[in-house]
Amino acid sequence: MVFKKMLAAFGVGGPSVDTVLDSPVCQPGGQLTGKVYLKGGETPVDIEHVALGLVTRVEVEGGDYEHDAHVEFHRIPVAGAFRLEAGEQRAVPFQFPVPWETPITDLYGQHLHGMTMGLRTELAVARAVDKGDLDPVSVQPLPAQERILEAFARLGFRFKRADLEHGHIHGVAQTLPFYQEIEFFAAPQYAHRVNEVELTFVANPNFMDVILEADKRSGLFTPGGDNFGHLRVEYATAHATDWAAEIDAWMRAVIERYPAGHAPYGHEYHHGHEYHHGHEYHHGHGGGLGAGGAIAGAAAGFIGGMVAGEVIDEIGDFFEGEE
């Protein structure tokens, strides 16, 4: 075993550590497993604790500017206090639960431009704490999330970038201090009225919230601005819906029927109360998304059912906009 991470905080001759994942690939709500390998240095040391933390990069607004910050958003202890003898080698197995709201970093083997995710090992000895390097982690979408992303690709949207915004979305039971925005260039059939569309997932064990934001161009007689849609996804329902058709219906309603600041089919967001990405709104009434009002089998569903999406032929075009 090669111990690649000499802990700088403990000096030459101190202990070393290496974290080895069984697999760096996971899903929201899943887990990462592996072992933390420790090797004693030249003298015995008393280890106070070993901990692991998921770390990602978040955009934080600070006055008139934004900056990136690396945020540890989930942390678990791996081992408590123990004595590590000189030259001793010890393996500490772990099971690291991945939060349901963990942002997606990869899709169909393609990394989402703008995303950073890693597992960091922390070792504390004699009140000195060493936070090691990040071991890269790949977060794949849940099947329901994959179905939505697949529908965007089928409609001709091109992926632009993804990022994490610091803050909370009004009306959503969000536990992490940030949310992911997956940005798309508008598909050709909507590009005359819409610049970009942003997609946000906030998942939990039973359902997920799906938030859509369309950046609408101004027209000769109609204003531009952002149009929002917020729908609840029940995993166990709405598994037979044509999601490309549903998204297309929402987009066409945004373009043709609704002024900026409103979303179709009973989901209205008005200016004046809460903030989402710099725009104020509050919730109106609930309802389904799609022509006629509600999706069959889901009282408030945009997409549901843990249905595996097939690999799409259009994946190359989907990532064409990646920078």
Side-chain angles (χ1 to χ4, degrees), residues 231-234 237-243 245-247 249 265 267 287-304:
L231 295 134
R232 174 118 339 143
V233 177
E234 301 291 343
T237 58
H239 56 277
T241 302
D242 182 346
W243 306 123
E246 296 299 328
I247 295 170
Y265 307 126
H267 290 269
L289 174 66
I295 294 176
F302 170 39
I303 180 173

Side-chain angles (χ1 to χ4, degrees), residues 1-115:
M1 175 59 62
V2 177
F3 295 95
K4 61 183 179 182
K5 297 174 185 172
M6 184 63 69
L7 301 179
F10 310 132
V12 177
S16 58
V17 64
D18 186 24
T19 298
V20 178
L21 292 166
D22 294 330
S23 171
V25 179
C26 63
Q27 287 183 318
Q31 66 177 9
L32 293 164
T33 61
K35 291 184 176 67
V36 177
Y37 292 95
L38 297 162
K39 183 178 181 179
E42 295 177 357
T43 60
V45 293
D46 291 320
I47 305 296
E48 295 175 0
H49 71 256
V50 182
L52 295 172
L54 265 181
V55 178
T56 191
R57 185 177 60 205
V58 179
E59 290 189 6
V60 180
E61 292 187 6
D64 296 330
Y65 67 94
E66 288 187 353
H67 67 279
D68 290 344
H70 282 84
V71 175
E72 182 183 88
F73 64 94
H74 187 56
R75 188 174 188 269
I76 66 166
V78 171
F82 64 92
R83 188 172 182 80
L84 186 68
E85 300 294 339
E88 178 187 356
Q89 297 188 21
R90 182 180 295 214
V92 181
F94 65 84
Q95 293 182 330
F96 187 98
V98 178
W100 282 90
E101 292 178 29
T102 300
I104 299 163
T105 66
D106 293 82
L107 177 64
Y108 300 123
Q110 297 280 338
H111 181 72
L112 299 185
H113 177 69
M115 294 306 304

Side-chain angles (χ1 to χ4, degrees), residues 249-320:
W250 186 82
M251 290 296 300
R252 294 192 182 281
V254 166
I255 291 171
E256 298 169 5
R257 306 178 192 176
Y258 290 83
H262 291 72
Y265 307 126
H267 290 269
E268 296 187 350
Y269 295 80
H270 302 280
H271 291 278
H273 292 279
E274 299 292 336
Y275 287 93
H276 170 53
H277 195 50
H279 300 278
E280 299 180 315
Y281 66 92
H282 72 267
H283 284 280
H285 301 288
L289 174 66
I295 294 176
F302 170 39
I303 180 173
M306 300 296 282
V307 182
E310 63 271 25
V311 176
I312 55 175
D313 295 333
E314 298 89 344
I315 193 65
D317 293 336
F318 187 57
F319 282 93
E320 183 181 334

Side-chain angles (χ1 to χ4, degrees), residues 178-246:
F178 56 79
Y179 54 91
Q180 183 177 34
E181 290 184 336
I182 303 173
E183 302 175 14
F184 302 94
F185 295 108
Q189 62 270 34
Y190 318 119
H192 63 292
R193 292 291 284 120
V194 174
N195 293 308
E196 298 176 358
V197 175
E198 295 177 353
L199 172 65
T200 295
F201 299 118
V202 181
N204 68 45
N206 301 311
F207 60 85
M208 68 180 179
D209 288 293
V210 178
I211 297 92
L212 293 170
E213 179 180 349
D215 177 17
K216 188 176 178 182
R217 301 177 190 268
S218 60
L220 183 60
F221 302 107
T222 57
D226 293 327
N227 293 253
F228 297 90
H230 171 202
L231 295 134
R232 174 118 339 143
V233 177
E234 301 291 343
Y235 295 136
T237 58
H239 56 277
T241 302
D242 182 346
W243 306 123
E246 296 299 328

